[in-house]
């Protein structure tokens, strides 16, 4: 491996060390309901995001809180020497995508049937260190 290629690889590796992510697949909540809660914490600092999720009454907030704690733990395992308080972690990206749909039939009047779609979603949460100090 050449020296420039090695330097570039090291730079990419250091950049990836500053972020960590967690995924929640096939969560049995509709994506629309999950996005309402995800929009509350997008771009927030981790401490504030945890407080928002802890005191929110929606069911999706409990699942997102657990996912955020998992992403923080993933960041901690990548950066064992750094502390979470000094790094000022931020929810850099949170993405809610539609998952598989369970299709059910509900009886309707006059011998008909209506289709019920039970939706699920996939959530990807990325946590990154905020190195620039803002007051």
């Amino acid at each position: 491996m050449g020296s420039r290629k090695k330097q570039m690889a090291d730079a990419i590796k250091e950049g990836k060390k500053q972020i960590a992510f967690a995924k929640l697949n096939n969560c049995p909540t509709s994506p629309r309901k999950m996005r309402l809660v995800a929009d509350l914490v997008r771009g927030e600092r981790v401490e504030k995001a945890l407080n928002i999720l802890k005191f929110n009454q929606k069911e999706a907030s409990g699942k997102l809180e657990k996912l955020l704690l998992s992403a923080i733990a993933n960041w901690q395992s990548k950066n064992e020497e750094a502390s979470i308080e000094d790094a000022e972690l931020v929810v850099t990206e949170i993405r809610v995508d539609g998952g598989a749909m369970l299709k059910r039939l509900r009886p309707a009047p006059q011998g008909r049937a209506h289709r019920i779609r039970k939706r699920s979603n996939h959530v990807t949460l990325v946590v990154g260190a905020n190195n620039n100090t803002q007051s």
Side-chain angles (χ1 to χ4, degrees):
M1 181 185 282
S3 64
R4 281 187 301 164
K5 197 171 185 181
K6 177 120 176 87
Q7 289 172 350
M8 200 58 190
D10 290 339
I12 290 172
K13 191 174 182 182
E14 281 300 314
K16 285 186 178 180
K17 204 171 185 186
Q18 294 302 315
I19 64 167
F21 69 95
K23 284 185 178 182
L24 174 64
N25 285 333
N26 296 321
C27 179
T29 310
S30 75
R32 188 175 183 181
K33 291 177 184 176
M34 187 65 85
R35 279 188 199 108
L36 285 174
V37 181
D39 291 340
L40 294 175
V41 297
R42 185 175 287 119
E44 296 288 342
R45 295 188 49 189
V46 168
E47 297 85 15
K48 186 175 179 185
L50 281 172
N51 285 332
I52 290 170
L53 293 174
K54 186 177 190 110
F55 295 110
N56 196 344
Q57 293 180 348
K58 295 190 178 290
E59 181 188 352
S61 64
K63 296 175 182 177
L64 277 184
E65 182 184 6
K66 193 171 178 181
L67 185 68
L68 180 57
L69 289 171
S70 174
I72 293 168
N74 291 343
W75 186 88
Q76 187 74 34
S77 68
K78 275 186 174 181
N79 304 292
E80 292 161 347
E81 68 282 347
S83 69
I84 296 173
E85 293 81 19
D86 295 339
E88 296 181 5
L89 292 179
V90 176
V91 179
T92 55
E93 181 184 348
I94 183 166
R95 194 170 56 246
V96 181
D97 302 320
M101 235 183 284
L102 296 175
K103 294 182 175 135
R104 301 289 181 255
L105 292 177
R106 166 150 297 160
Q110 298 180 355
R112 289 188 289 245
H114 291 158
R115 182 171 287 165
I116 303 294
R117 293 184 301 273
K118 298 189 174 194
R119 300 173 188 270
S120 67
N121 64 56
H122 307 310
V123 184
T124 306
L125 193 141
V126 180
V127 172
N130 190 10
N131 291 334
N132 51 354
T133 56
Q134 297 174 352
S135 297

